[in-house]
Amino acid sequence: GAVVSQHPSRVICKSGTSVKIECRSLDFQATTMFWYRQFPKKSLMLMATSNEGSKATYEQGVEKDKFLINHASLTLSTLTVTSAHPEDSSFYICSVSGGILSDTQYFGPGTRLTVL
Amino acid sequence: GEDVEQSLFLSVREGDSSVINCTYTDSSSTYLYWYKQEPGAGLQLLTYIFSNMDMKQDQRLTVLLNKKDKHLSLRIADTQTGDSAIYFCAEKMGGGNKLTFGTGTQLKVEL
């Protein structure tokens, strides 16, 4: 499978600031990357799907101007939470897919965001 | 979207078998997956099954798929304390690459 990293693993920020989360595919060229959000003791909610070099496709109810996604290369996607508020506090997880691994998704370790 | 349901909690004794169940509603699912999530971590892909298969075995893991009843199960043989985690089933619908996740089952393994 693919090895995926996320940075940072944990971030605390003040309300109103922006936070960037990186997702890297370390050993695999990911044509597609996904961003999920997970609330405590809940399942994963897909936020958006991004294909390398294209604009991300957002799920219904996810504000594209608030959650900016960039997938500029086959190994890196970023999620920027703009003007973060306490309700944006959550566990954000990315996954990668593509090529011979297109039937599966491999997940990063997640980023815990806390907005004060 | 389609609902994928799992029981919330399962407790077993170390050495016993665990069976985690999942029901889904979309008959056009092409692949079904089992992921494991330990506290504070991402999801680890355990195994997956193509929709034209009934069973898949991989070491201690056995996946059973009943398409007629839209029922998926994961059996873990000789359950160990390290198997304690949340287990998610997920389905991938035909023609797309999005996954729909189940609600997750918390497996607790007791000594």
Side-chain angles (χ1 to χ4, degrees):
Chain A
V3 179
V4 183
S5 70
Q6 283 185 237
H7 178 81
S9 58
R10 183 180 293 265
V11 58
I12 301 172
C13 69
K14 292 183 179 180
S15 188
T17 60
S18 294
V19 175
K20 180 184 282 189
I21 302 170
E22 291 186 349
C23 175
R24 291 184 183 273
S25 178
L26 300 181
D27 60 351
F28 168 71
Q29 294 195 319
T31 51
T32 307
M33 288 186 170
F34 303 84
W35 285 96
Y36 293 84
R37 183 173 178 176
Q38 186 179 32
F39 292 100
K41 301 190 187 301
K42 296 290 185 183
S43 188
L44 280 76
M45 181 192 81
L46 179 66
M47 299 175 67
T49 303
S50 74
N51 293 298
E52 186 259 340
S54 302
K55 288 185 178 180
T57 302
Y58 289 80
E59 295 299 300
Q60 193 172 8
V62 178
E63 298 176 63
K64 63 179 182 180
D65 294 329
K66 180 165 183 63
F67 298 99
L68 301 178
I69 292 171
N70 183 281
H71 188 171
S73 77
L74 290 172
T75 59
L76 174 65
S77 177
T78 60
L79 167 68
T80 302
V81 183
T82 62
S83 186
H85 287 93
E87 58 265 29
D88 299 323
S89 298
S90 194
F91 193 56
Y92 292 88
I93 313 177
C94 70
S95 69
V96 306
S97 184
I100 59 172
L101 301 180
S102 61
D103 292 325
T104 53
Q105 290 183 27
Y106 292 89
F107 284 79
T111 296
R112 172 73 60 192
L113 170 63
T114 302
V115 185
L116 302 177
Chain B
E2 301 295 335
D3 290 335
V4 182
E5 295 191 354
Q6 301 176 235
S7 53
L8 286 179
F9 192 77
L10 175 66
S11 178
V12 299
R13 288 188 180 273
E14 187 178 43
D16 289 349
S17 292
S18 308
V19 180
I20 303 171
N21 295 301
C22 171
T23 57
Y24 59 98
T25 57
D26 194 323
S27 58
S28 67
S29 296
T30 54
Y31 288 91
L32 295 121
Y33 307 81
W34 283 104
Y35 285 87
K36 175 184 180 183
Q37 185 180 34
E38 299 188 39
L43 273 68
Q44 174 194 353
L45 177 64
L46 292 177
T47 186
Y48 63 99
I49 188 168
F50 188 52
S51 59
N52 68 354
M53 297 169 66
D54 299 322
M55 186 188 88
K56 181 178 180 181
Q57 186 159 2
D58 184 0
Q59 299 182 337
R60 292 192 298 125
L61 306 179
T62 303
V63 178
L64 295 178
L65 175 61
N66 181 330
K67 283 198 75 174
K68 175 174 170 291
D69 295 337
K70 299 189 185 70
H71 183 264
L72 181 75
S73 68
L74 174 69
R75 179 178 180 269
I76 305 173
D78 188 23
T79 312
Q80 302 297 307
T81 54
D83 295 324
S84 293
I86 299 176
Y87 290 80
F88 290 97
C89 64
E91 61 173 343
K92 179 180 176 183
M93 268 72 86
N97 56 5
K98 293 198 302 186
L99 298 184
T100 301
F101 282 86
T103 46
T105 298
Q106 170 98 51
L107 174 64
K108 182 178 179 182
V109 182
E110 298 175 327
L111 296 173

